[in-house]
Amino acid sequence: AQSVTQLDSHVSVSEGTPVLLRCNYSSSYSPSLFWYVQHPNKGLQLLLKYTSAATLVKGINGFEAEFKKSETSFHLTKPSAHMSDAAEYFCVVSGPTDKLIFGTGTRLQVFP
Amino acid sequence: DTGVSQDPRHKITKRGQNVTFRCDPISEHNRLYWYRQTLGQGPEFLTYFQNEAQLEKSRLLSDRFSAERPKGSFSTLEIQRTEQGDSAMYLCASSHDRVESVSPLHFGNGTRLTVT
C-alpha cells in the first residue's frame, strides 16, 4: 500500500531564509509523488510532481523537490521564503487508479 | 475554462437531514474524484468516477453516502441522515485519463458542511 509521512506538522521560518518541508513515502511500486499547497479559504493547488523522469523537480513559485529512492524521501525546498508562502503543504503519493493519498500536512509560517 | 466548480460553498444542516453537493469538473476531464477533509488533516479519498462509471469507493463511504455522475459530466454527492461526524470540507477534483504519466488532479474550492 502507498502512504506518505510528513515529518513536521509545523515549520516556522523568517522571510528570506530557506524552507525545508520533509516527506517520506512508502510504495510497493515506482511511485508518482506530488506536493500540493492549500492557502486559507482556497483550493488545493499543485506545486510540482515527480513521475520517474528527473529526480530533481522544479515547481511553481520557486519550489523544488528531490526524489531520493534510497532514502524514500521527497523533501520540498525553497531557497528564500516569502510571506506569501505561508500555507498548508501536503505531500502526496499516487495509488492505483491514480487516486491521491495525502499526508497530514505541514503548516508553514513565515515571519517578517 | 474556470476550473472545478463546487456548489454550495457552505452548508449548515441539522442532524438527520439529507444534503446534496454538486461538482462541475473541468470540461475535458473524464475522471472525477471526491475527497473529504477534516480540520488539521489531509484530504481523504471517498470515491472516483471515470466518465459515468463509479470505479472505486473508500471504506470511509458508509451506506448513507451516495455519489452519481449520470452523464459523465457533473457529479453529485448525497449524504442521508447526516451526523455531526459528517462535518467536514468535501472536495471535488478532476483529471484527464492517464496517458504516459499520472495526470495531476485539479481541485475545486470545496463545500464546507456543518451538521448541528
Side-chain angles (χ1 to χ4, degrees), chain B residues 37-41 88 112:
Chain B
Q37 185 177 20
T38 53
L39 203 61
Q41 299 296 317
R112 183 170 294 284

Side-chain angles (χ1 to χ4, degrees), chain A residues 79-93:
Chain A
S80 176
H82 191 273
M83 295 296 290
S84 61
D85 294 329
E88 189 89 17
Y89 290 80
F90 293 98
C91 182
V92 184
V93 64

Side-chain angles (χ1 to χ4, degrees), chain A residues 30-97:
Chain A
S30 183
S32 293
L33 293 159
F34 307 79
W35 278 96
Y36 277 79
V37 62
Q38 189 174 37
H39 287 92
N41 300 316
K42 292 196 175 179
L44 286 154
Q45 181 183 19
L46 178 68
L47 273 181
L48 51 81
K49 68 174 182 176
Y50 166 77
T51 55
S52 75
T55 56
L56 183 63
V57 182
K58 293 189 184 298
I60 61 172
N61 301 333
F63 284 94
E64 61 182 38
E66 186 171 8
F67 174 75
K68 291 187 176 180
K69 186 175 180 179
S70 60
E71 299 176 10
T72 61
S73 70
F74 190 58
H75 301 335
L76 182 71
T77 60
K78 182 173 180 177
S80 176
H82 191 273
M83 295 296 290
S84 61
D85 294 329
E88 189 89 17
Y89 290 80
F90 293 98
C91 182
V92 184
V93 64
S94 176
T97 72

Side-chain angles (χ1 to χ4, degrees), chain B residues 35-65:
Chain B
Y35 282 79
R36 179 172 66 188
Q37 185 177 20
T38 53
L39 203 61
Q41 299 296 317
E44 295 173 298
F45 170 79
L46 293 179
T47 190
Y48 146 64
F49 291 85
Q50 175 137 340
N51 300 313
E52 66 275 11
Q54 187 174 19
L55 297 186
E56 187 173 349
K57 290 170 61 173
S58 165
R59 284 187 292 256
L60 293 175
L61 217 62
S62 77
D63 292 345
R64 298 184 296 105
F65 286 71

